[in-house]
Amino acid sequence: VQLQASGGGLVQAGGSARLSCTASGRSFSTHAMGWFRQDLGPERAFVAAISWSGNSSYYTDSVKGRFTISRDNAKNTVYLQMNNLKPEDTAVYYCAAHRIGQRVSLEKLDFGLRAQYDYWGQGTLVTVSS
């Protein structure tokens, strides 16, 4: 089972980038998916999560209105569209699959906790220059 993240790179402040995360080896169509990020600190922080159906999503406050998470279950892929990027968005971004499947609604999950995710991508670096 593998989650492959891509789409990172160097972006100017105010610019946009779209991250993709594709699963192989199994389907996560019944699982919530999340994006986390890690800068120079030790912690991997929650960014966004999306329900198994794609009908609901949540964001950390600092990215609300700028980032959009989406998914295409037919392609086994989750996306993170990032607009109006700021230097403080610079980080390694990780996608992850929540440990609970079975089409559980996002509201019933601790989607903001790193420990609730079983499968992780390798991370993709986004660098925002000022």
Side-chain angles (χ1 to χ4, degrees):
V1 179
Q2 186 177 15
L3 293 177
Q4 182 70 40
S6 61
L10 178 64
V11 184
Q12 286 190 331
S16 298
R18 188 173 87 151
L19 306 182
S20 299
C21 174
T22 299
S24 60
R26 63 165 289 179
S27 171
F28 290 105
S29 62
T30 62
H31 293 245
M33 299 291 291
W35 285 96
F36 288 71
R37 65 186 179 185
Q38 185 170 7
D39 53 19
L40 296 178
E43 296 298 323
R44 197 170 291 184
F46 170 76
V47 176
I50 189 167
S51 64
W52 68 272
S53 64
N55 287 340
S56 62
S57 57
Y58 285 90
Y59 302 88
T60 192
D61 286 347
S62 63
V63 308
K64 285 180 181 177
R66 300 189 298 122
F67 290 13
T68 302
I69 188 172
S70 61
R71 68 189 297 164
D72 185 338
N73 285 340
K75 296 182 178 179
N76 228 9
T77 300
V78 62
Y79 306 95
L80 186 67
Q81 176 67 41
M82 305 184 294
N83 297 329
N84 190 22
L85 282 161
K86 304 176 180 181
E88 52 264 42
D89 294 318
T90 295
V92 177
Y93 285 74
Y94 298 88
C95 62
H98 198 278
R99 64 181 184 87
I100 298 176
Q102 301 177 345
R103 300 181 175 88
V104 177
S105 65
L106 200 57
E107 292 74 14
K108 295 182 180 179
L109 301 173
D110 291 326
F111 54 80
L113 298 179
R114 176 184 174 182
Q116 294 295 314
Y117 293 79
D118 275 350
Y119 296 96
W120 291 83
Q122 84 285 6
T124 183
L125 175 63
V126 176
T127 303
V128 184
S129 63
S130 58

